[in-house]
Amino acid sequence: MTPPDAGRGIGNGDGTGGLAEPGLPGDTFRILHVSTGNVCRSPITERLTRHFLADRLGCPAPGLAGGTPMGGLIVESAGTWGHEGAPMEANAEAVLADFGADASGFVGRELLDEHVIRADLVLTATRDHRAQVISMGHSAGLRTFTLKEFTRLVRAIDPATLPPLEDGVVARARALVRAAAALRGWLLAPTAEADEVFDPYGAPLTFFRSIGDEIHQALDPVVTALTGVPARA
């Protein structure tokens, strides 16, 4: 019998939650993307992160069953009012197709304590989501940011201060989170809205695509900092 959380991989989005995957290397780093319903923003962000990591690291993203996280990175998502068991919105799937990212097999899930406990980095769509995650406890404050907030902080971090790639992506990711947390009180957003990704739920495809472009632009420097590999020209 397949374990209940098998294949969650680096963001396979099967929505099952549960225990850590059997057979994974001991040194892993979990990135958790959080939005409201887990059918629009966080699925787009999860699957684009997975797609861009695969591209930068030069290996295919893991399949839906038994995939091994690339470099120890595991990418997941959930919603503060998650539509448990719901499919991704069709327009969100269309956005992922625009980027050549895989939308298959995704199932929405509600944010649970165990997701926050296991996450090494939580990236939320809005400040309200960030506040909700932090209010759950589990010492989440130093590892929870809005996506755009984290991007802004990452841009200010000198890559030379991070562990070399030879030490592994996990060590680099942990150092990146620590550095970002240290900068948070010193590098403020120009406006409150600058750290937000607005909800496209119910909007036309054109608005979904604009949100997809926002997420792409926010993820690019983060993935570059994690992998040490810039986007292809």
Side-chain angles (χ1 to χ4, degrees), residues 149-169:
E149 174 192 20
F150 192 66
T151 300
R152 174 165 46 80
L153 298 172
V154 164
R155 287 184 185 276
I157 297 169
D158 182 354
T161 64
L162 300 174
L165 294 177
E166 292 77 12
D167 288 355
V169 179

Side-chain angles (χ1 to χ4, degrees), residues 34-53:
V34 175
S35 63
T36 303
N38 195 215
V39 292
C40 296
R41 288 169 290 181
S42 50
I44 291 172
T45 314
E46 173 194 319
R47 292 305 179 92
L48 285 183
T49 304
R50 175 183 167 200
H51 178 69
F52 296 144
L53 285 171

Side-chain angles (χ1 to χ4, degrees), residues 3 10 30 35 39 45 55 100 105 116 140-142 151 163 171 173 178 182 213:
I10 71 156
R30 287 181 181 269
S35 63
V39 292
T45 314
D55 182 64
V116 177
L142 291 178
T151 300
R178 289 194 298 268
D213 288 339

